[in-house]
Amino acid sequence: MIALLMVFAVAAVAQEQPGLRDRADELYNRYEYANAVKLYAKLVDTRKPRLQDLERLADSYAKMNDYESAENWYARVVQQADSKPENLLRYGEILKMNGKYAEAKKQLEAYATQTGNASLVAMQIAGCDSALQWMASPTLHKLRNEAAVNTSNSEFSAFPIGDRVYYAGEPANESAKNRYGWTGNAFLRVYTAPLSQEGSLLEPTLANEALNTGEYHVGPVVSEADGNTLYVTRTYPGKDGEREKAAGLKYRTQTLELYIYHREGDGWTAEPFAYNNVKEYSVGHAALSTDGNLLYFVSDMPGGQGGTDIWYSERQADGTWGTPVNAGANINSAGDELFPGIGPDGTLYYSSDGLPGMGGLDIFQSTGKKAQWSRPENLKYPVNSASDDFAYLVYEEDEAGFRGFLASDRKGGKGGDDIYSFAFEKPKIIIILKGTTSDKTTGERLPTTAVTLFDGQREIVAKQQSNADGTFEFVLDRDRDYTVLGQKEGYHADSAKVSTQGITRSDTLEVALLLEPVFQVGQTFELENIYYDFDKHNIRPDAAAILDELVRTLRDNPTLKIELSSHTDSRGSNAYNEALSQRRAQSAVDYLVSRGIARDRMVAKGYGEARLVNRCADGVACSAAEHQANRRTEVTVLEY
């Protein structure tokens, strides 16, 4: 998640001609994680990698919010003989971020057992238990990815001003000097997009140039009711934040500050918020009360409850803002509170990682004002997810329901942080899906099978475990296509398609999932849709997506060892095809190694054209598609 406070850094000095590890460590200490991972990946590709290299590689991916890669590497970290209990804690946190709550709970409990510090993980474990319940019974929020504004980079904090929305986003085409080493992406800028009557966002443009003059991050933005006064979060560009950091090197850590923009004709003038103090702390993420007389914001200034807290200032008779006051221990925790927003009815919405939740930042709501607030309520799933969820804003509300925006870096998005619109409406009909999970070989029911319901865009709608009798149940929406997937350790997954298209009255649908036992020594199976271009051995993007599934299988079954074999079509000589297939198999193994799988768990083997799957031998005329079928990759179980 972009724009957490106190995270921007630039190296001031460097060593001369450092070695590979020195260069990796320097990049890591400078928060340039996107560059550090490239070097650490080379360092750990050995039979006995250093624990610290593995730890920093895993942590770098976590800092980049690439939680899938972080999980792969933390799985390696905790298997090292000298791994510390703290790695179990971090691994559990990453598993939680990936929505693997049962697995996360095991790691967190293992940490508590090894250290005796059960109190440290009690909140995390409570969050795992709650998340399992919330995903089994989602709320009525319907989320939609705003694809017209979201990119492969990050967009977040949508705020309507009239018939347009302002938000923070990372430009796609910026030079290297305008990129943030932490993420490898461009510095944030303010964008604006039209808001349609249906609540969707249309083609975006950069906001007025006067709003985007900051050297580093600019955004997010909120507005007073008349749209003539804006409150903009910016990264301070000066050198006042310089301080000593790791390994005797100097680094400059930038703070955030709040600026108030006033409209003047077609432009804007800016003045700093009176309580910015860039030498001591950050200020940002503003929100205004419904009457405009209270300015809420986030800061790590002294006197708070923990990391970053929500504070407020009260408008004075002369229009200035009063001395900041902490919003209190009811809503602020020992963690970070971020991105406050006030709804039409005065409800406070904000994000926190210091309260029980589903993972990362969760969105909470509370009623009250100033420093008097009700106990925060988690907004549950699907508002919250295993990833960072934040910048929740309700902008329209009536008797039928309400709608608004939030931001999330959850799986299924277009890039890093994405903007989602949401609507909350009560359903007119109820459609139930009832299902069973069974062993395909014996027919016996399989309890505690992980069952996930996906929509037509492969986004998770709900997730639960089958009951003791192998049954499960979901509530479906009208006019939608679904996939239901069953997964259990030691079994091949099974899935089924379900559709509610055309259903006009309440109904009950049924489905049976049959899971086949796997991982018998000598068993061979083909990796579906792993193909290579003619005469090439590079891993295509479509092949990488399938290989990532094999990564998960190997990661989740640490005793599994495989032969990964590649096969060619019959064109070319036998010797050439054997060499080509060996390169292809080796490329696949190298890719798996880059994703966190130890090289000694895999054998690369090229069989050339020796094992064709169809009639297309030498001299037989075949179509391109028939030849393509022979250019495949297979996996054989060697040990389990």
Side-chain angles (χ1 to χ4, degrees):
M1 193 262 320
I2 302 296
L4 289 177
L5 307 186
M6 302 290 288
V7 297
F8 182 84
V10 180
V13 299
Q15 297 177 1
E16 293 184 4
Q17 298 180 336
L20 184 62
R21 180 169 288 105
D22 292 330
R23 285 185 285 135
D25 289 343
E26 181 181 346
L27 290 167
Y28 179 86
N29 289 327
R30 286 166 51 180
Y31 311 126
E32 294 190 27
Y33 303 112
N35 297 320
V37 295
K38 300 172 186 177
L39 304 188
Y40 283 125
K42 295 179 180 178
L43 289 168
V44 301
D45 188 6
T46 178
R47 290 185 63 86
K48 293 183 178 181
R50 287 193 184 184
L51 176 61
Q52 180 174 283
D53 292 340
L54 285 169
E55 290 172 333
R56 290 191 167 188
L57 180 54
D59 185 58
S60 293
Y61 277 117
K63 292 292 199 312
M64 294 163 61
N65 295 343
D66 185 349
Y67 302 122
E68 183 76 17
S69 295
E71 179 185 341
N72 295 342
W73 289 105
Y74 271 114
R76 287 275 301 277
V77 168
V78 299
Q79 292 170 18
Q80 302 300 303
D82 54 345
S83 179
K84 302 178 290 293
E86 286 72 22
N87 289 325
L88 294 171
L89 174 61
R90 192 66 184 125
Y91 186 30
E93 292 171 342
I94 294 299
L95 285 166
K96 191 176 178 184
M97 296 290 279
N98 284 335
K100 298 184 175 180
Y101 297 105
E103 296 89 338
K105 185 176 179 180
K106 291 178 182 178
Q107 299 299 326
L108 296 171
E109 289 175 338
Y111 169 83
T113 299
Q114 290 190 22
T115 64
N117 193 359
S119 60
L120 181 66
V121 294
M123 186 185 70
Q124 292 269 39
I125 292 173
C128 291
D129 291 335
S130 296
L132 291 169
Q133 297 178 21
W134 296 337
M135 292 194 75
S137 301
T139 69
L140 297 179
H141 290 80
K142 305 304 176 189
L143 274 60
R144 178 181 61 206
N145 187 291
E146 290 299 322
V149 300
N150 291 323
T151 69
S152 59
N153 293 332
S154 286
E155 293 77 30
F156 59 93
S157 290
F159 189 90
I161 304 176
D163 60 356
R164 301 188 70 83
V165 161
Y166 286 70
Y167 66 92
E170 294 173 330
N173 300 311
E174 289 288 333
S175 63
K177 70 177 183 179
N178 292 326
R179 292 184 178 273
Y180 187 25
W182 185 299
T183 64
N185 297 336
F187 293 112
L188 294 169
R189 292 295 178 259
V190 178
Y191 285 80
T192 180
L195 176 61
S196 73
Q197 291 289 331
E198 295 75 28
S200 60
L201 302 182
L202 306 178
E203 191 67 25
T205 57
L206 273 171
N208 187 290
E209 184 177 353
L211 297 178
N212 282 311
T213 55
E215 184 176 351
Y216 300 133
H217 291 312
V218 181
V221 172
V222 300
S223 170
E224 293 195 2
D226 60 8
N228 292 322
T229 302
L230 307 180
Y231 297 82
V232 182
T233 302
R234 304 191 330 190
T235 302
Y236 175 68
K239 298 182 178 180
D240 295 334
E242 191 170 290
R243 63 194 67 186
E244 291 289 331
K245 297 298 274 186
L249 301 178
K250 281 188 176 181
Y251 299 96
R252 193 171 68 248
T253 301
Q254 305 302 118
T255 53
L256 299 185
E257 51 186 349
L258 194 61
Y259 266 73
I260 304 173
Y261 286 70
H262 301 282
R263 189 188 300 275
E264 286 193 2
D266 293 332
W268 299 87
T269 60
E271 62 172 316
F273 181 52
Y275 302 100
N276 291 339
N277 186 343
V278 295
K279 291 185 179 181
E280 301 296 332
Y281 51 79
S282 288
V283 174
H285 300 181
L288 287 160
S289 61
T290 54
D291 63 7
N293 289 324
L294 294 172
L295 175 66
Y296 295 95
F297 58 90
V298 169
S299 179
D300 58 344
M301 66 176 62
Q305 311 297 321
T308 57
D309 276 18
I310 297 174
W311 297 71
Y312 72 91
S313 290
E314 194 164 3
R315 196 187 296 271
Q316 305 300 296
D318 62 358
T320 62
W321 292 107
T323 303
V325 179
N326 190 275
N330 268 10
I331 59 171
N332 290 316
S333 71
D336 289 323
E337 278 65 52
L338 299 161
F339 295 98
I342 304 295
D345 62 353
T347 299
L348 169 68
Y349 302 100
Y350 69 100
S351 290
S352 176
D353 63 5
L355 300 170
M358 297 186 68
L361 292 170
D362 267 31
I363 299 168
F364 295 82
Q365 67 177 13
S366 179
T367 57
K369 60 187 287 189
K370 297 185 179 179
Q372 301 297 318
W373 296 98
S374 64
R375 182 176 180 178
E377 177 186 353
N378 190 296
L379 292 189
K380 305 177 182 178
Y381 186 80
V383 168
N384 288 314
S385 71
S387 301
D388 285 325
D389 306 289
F390 58 102
Y392 182 98
L393 180 68
V394 174
Y395 69 87
E396 186 176 277
E397 190 170 13
D398 56 32
E399 295 180 355
F402 53 86
R403 59 182 176 178
F405 296 101
L406 62 84
S408 178
D409 63 347
R410 66 186 63 193
K411 293 180 181 179
K414 290 187 66 176
D417 302 315
D418 277 6
I419 295 172
Y420 292 80
S421 59
F422 63 81
F424 186 99
E425 297 177 354
K426 294 182 179 180
K428 296 179 175 62
I429 68 172
I430 298 176
I431 304 172
I432 303 296
L433 174 66
K434 291 186 175 181
T436 58
T437 54
S438 304
D439 185 306
K440 185 175 182 179
T441 302
T442 65
E444 295 180 0
R445 293 286 179 85
L446 291 176
T448 62
T449 299
V451 184
T452 307
L453 183 69
F454 296 92
D455 65 11
Q457 283 70 51
R458 198 66 180 177
E459 294 183 15
I460 296 176
V461 176
K463 185 175 183 178
Q464 60 183 252
Q465 286 192 332
S466 59
N467 299 318
D469 59 354
T471 62
F472 61 89
E473 187 174 299
F474 292 110
V475 178
L476 308 181
D477 290 333
R478 293 178 57 185
D479 299 320
R480 294 180 71 179
D481 295 322
Y482 295 94
T483 298
V484 59
L485 173 70
Q487 296 171 290
K488 190 175 180 66
E489 185 176 350
Y491 288 84
H492 277 302
D494 189 30
S495 63
K497 302 288 186 181
V498 179
S499 179
T500 60
Q501 301 285 351
I503 296 179
T504 58
R505 64 181 65 183
S506 296
D507 199 358
T508 299
L509 308 180
E510 296 184 354
V511 67
L513 299 178
L514 304 176
L515 285 71
E516 187 173 8
V518 295
F519 304 145
Q520 300 174 359
V521 174
Q523 178 185 11
T524 297
F525 56 92
E526 181 179 346
L527 292 182
E528 185 179 2
N529 299 325
I530 291 289
Y531 294 127
Y532 298 89
D533 293 325
F534 175 64
D535 203 34
K536 303 291 184 182
H537 66 270
N538 58 291
I539 302 299
R540 301 185 336 193
D542 56 346
I546 303 300
L547 286 172
D548 283 340
E549 292 296 331
L550 181 57
V551 169
R552 297 181 188 109
T553 298
L554 288 163
R555 179 193 66 204
D556 297 340
N557 296 272
T559 64
L560 177 62
K561 294 186 177 182
I562 63 168
E563 175 191 273
L564 196 151
S565 60
S566 181
H567 306 263
T568 69
D569 58 41
S570 61
R571 292 175 289 184
S573 69
N574 288 343
Y576 177 82
N577 284 334
E578 185 173 336
L580 175 62
S581 64
Q582 183 64 39
R583 293 198 302 273
R584 288 174 172 173
Q586 193 62 55
S587 292
V589 166
D590 290 343
Y591 178 82
L592 297 176
V593 169
S594 76
R595 300 291 289 159
I597 305 303
R599 191 177 293 275
D600 59 8
R601 295 178 60 193
M602 299 171 289
V603 174
K605 177 64 177 177
Y607 286 97
E609 59 183 275
R611 298 184 178 182
L612 302 177
V613 297
N614 55 28
R615 63 185 180 86
C616 300
D618 290 335
V620 178
C622 289
S623 66
E626 288 175 311
H627 282 303
Q628 174 80 299
N630 286 312
R631 300 195 297 271
R632 68 197 189 279
T633 300
E634 293 179 335
V635 173
T636 300
V637 176
L638 300 179
E639 293 182 30
Y640 185 62

